Amino acid sequence: MIYKITILILATITTGIILLGLAKGKKYSMLVDNLSSSEYFLKDFYIIGFYLNNTKLFKLRGKLEKDLKMYARLIWDNIYYEYYANLAWAQFLSISLVILAFGLTFCGFLNINASVMILGIVVLAILAVWNLTISKLKETVEERREACELEFPNMVSKLSILISSGMVLRETWYVVAYGKDGPLYDLMKKACEDIDNGASDQVAIHNFGILSDSSEIKKFTSLMLQGLEKGNRELTDFLLSQTSELWAHKKQLALQKAEIASGKLIIPLGIMFG
């Protein structure tokens, strides 16, 4: 009996927090109105998280805040990164509280054994929400980095051929950037937009390397900018020398991805045979 009363008290507290967030968080509705309902499920509840984020108990802080803002900056640059970092935290808080409130309320009317099982499901659901909200930013950056590294040798080959034919770096960069679609070329287009807005070629290309979050690409862009300072001929020789190395690196990445993919098959195959 004491167990059920405790569970129902916790359910009441959780429900009260949700109702308070819905009432006090209306002023944050403008932050979620334009979000896509298909991508951001239950978006109307995010105002709860935005409200709680302004309280001492639930405020985003510490290493988690630093990591979220770092990943958000790599995806959305310096303009919107704080909003998307806070959005991910608000999304996690809101959906987790709703799941917890329903789970605790349901457990209050069950016996101990059944309620323990329900609480286990609630914990798994909250972990799934964490993966879909907080971990999603990190996964997005990692997936983009892998896609950029796989396409990078092709991009360098195109730059090398066009610069060897006599084109200058800026003109070549524009041609390659708008000649194909993909994560790497999207970052190149972002550099083109920076140049159009008044940034120098060096700053725009340096930011391109930073946003890729790839040590290989950042190293390459740094060396390429050094070659650019020495002249077009030095830059051409550098690009030609790097092309073969990058293709070898791409083969290594492909082999590593194949090994990881084969390793992931072990678990489902084991479950099937079991």
Side-chain angles (χ1 to χ4, degrees):
M1 187 68 180
I2 297 176
Y3 171 78
K4 286 189 175 182
I5 292 175
T6 304
I7 290 293
L8 288 174
I9 290 174
L10 292 174
T12 303
I13 293 172
T14 308
T15 304
I17 293 174
I18 292 173
L19 294 176
L20 179 64
L22 288 172
K24 296 284 189 179
K26 289 181 179 179
K27 59 184 178 181
Y28 300 105
S29 59
M30 61 181 180
L31 298 176
V32 300
D33 287 341
N34 293 326
L35 295 175
S36 170
S37 299
S38 59
E39 184 177 358
Y40 295 95
F41 54 96
L42 299 176
K43 68 172 188 175
D44 293 332
F45 286 93
Y46 296 175
I47 59 175
I48 301 171
F50 278 110
Y51 166 73
L52 293 176
N53 189 38
N54 283 326
T55 63
K56 290 183 178 180
L57 183 60
F58 295 99
K59 187 171 181 61
L60 179 63
R61 58 169 67 88
K63 185 177 184 300
L64 180 59
E65 179 185 18
K66 181 180 177 182
D67 290 344
L68 282 179
K69 288 185 176 180
M70 178 185 69
Y71 293 128
R73 183 182 281 110
L74 290 172
I75 300 171
W76 289 285
D77 208 359
N78 293 323
I79 302 176
Y80 305 108
Y81 78 94
E82 288 193 15
Y83 166 73
Y84 281 102
N86 290 325
L87 174 63
W89 179 238
Q91 189 180 12
F92 171 72
L93 283 178
S94 306
I95 299 175
S96 297
L97 280 172
V98 171
I99 292 172
L100 187 60
F102 275 104
L104 289 173
T105 303
F106 194 47
C107 288
F109 299 98
L110 301 174
N111 59 48
I112 294 179
N113 292 331
S115 63
V116 169
M117 183 181 69
I118 296 299
L119 287 175
I121 295 174
V122 168
V123 171
L124 291 176
I126 292 175
L127 290 175
V129 173
W130 176 276
N131 187 59
L132 291 171
T133 55
I134 306 299
S135 298
K136 184 180 179 181
L137 293 180
K138 180 180 179 182
E139 292 172 1
T140 301
V141 171
E142 290 177 348
E143 289 173 0
R144 189 181 70 179
R145 180 176 65 241
E146 290 179 1
C148 287
E149 288 179 344
L150 287 174
E151 183 60 27
F152 192 53
N154 291 327
M155 186 269 276
V156 175
S157 296
K158 294 174 184 176
L159 286 176
S160 175
I161 293 171
L162 292 174
I163 290 178
S164 297
S165 66
M167 294 176 64
V168 297
L169 178 60
R170 176 182 291 193
E171 184 181 0
T172 303
W173 190 273
Y174 274 71
V175 171
V176 175
Y178 290 97
K180 191 174 180 180
D181 294 326
L184 180 65
Y185 300 99
D186 289 339
L187 293 180
M188 292 185 73
K189 291 169 187 172
K190 173 67 173 58
C192 293
E193 293 173 1
D194 290 342
I195 293 172
D196 291 338
N197 290 328
S200 65
D201 296 2
Q202 289 82 354
V203 170
I205 294 174
H206 173 75
N207 290 338
F208 159 79
I210 296 296
L211 292 176
S212 72
D213 195 43
S214 167
S215 57
E216 198 70 26
I217 296 177
K218 284 188 282 189
K219 177 183 175 182
F220 172 85
T221 53
S222 177
L223 294 173
M224 185 177 71
L225 291 174
Q226 292 178 19
L228 178 62
E229 293 176 357
K230 297 178 181 178
N232 208 56
R233 181 58 188 173
E234 291 284 342
L235 180 59
T236 302
D237 293 339
F238 167 72
L239 291 173
L240 290 173
S241 66
Q242 287 292 306
T243 301
S244 58
E245 295 181 15
L246 290 172
W247 277 108
H249 181 66
K250 180 177 179 178
K251 290 180 181 178
Q252 292 178 355
L253 286 176
L255 291 173
Q256 291 174 5
K257 288 178 69 68
E259 291 176 359
I260 293 172
S262 61
K264 289 181 178 178
L265 289 174
I266 294 175
I267 296 177
L269 286 174
I271 293 173
M272 287 172 59
F273 283 115

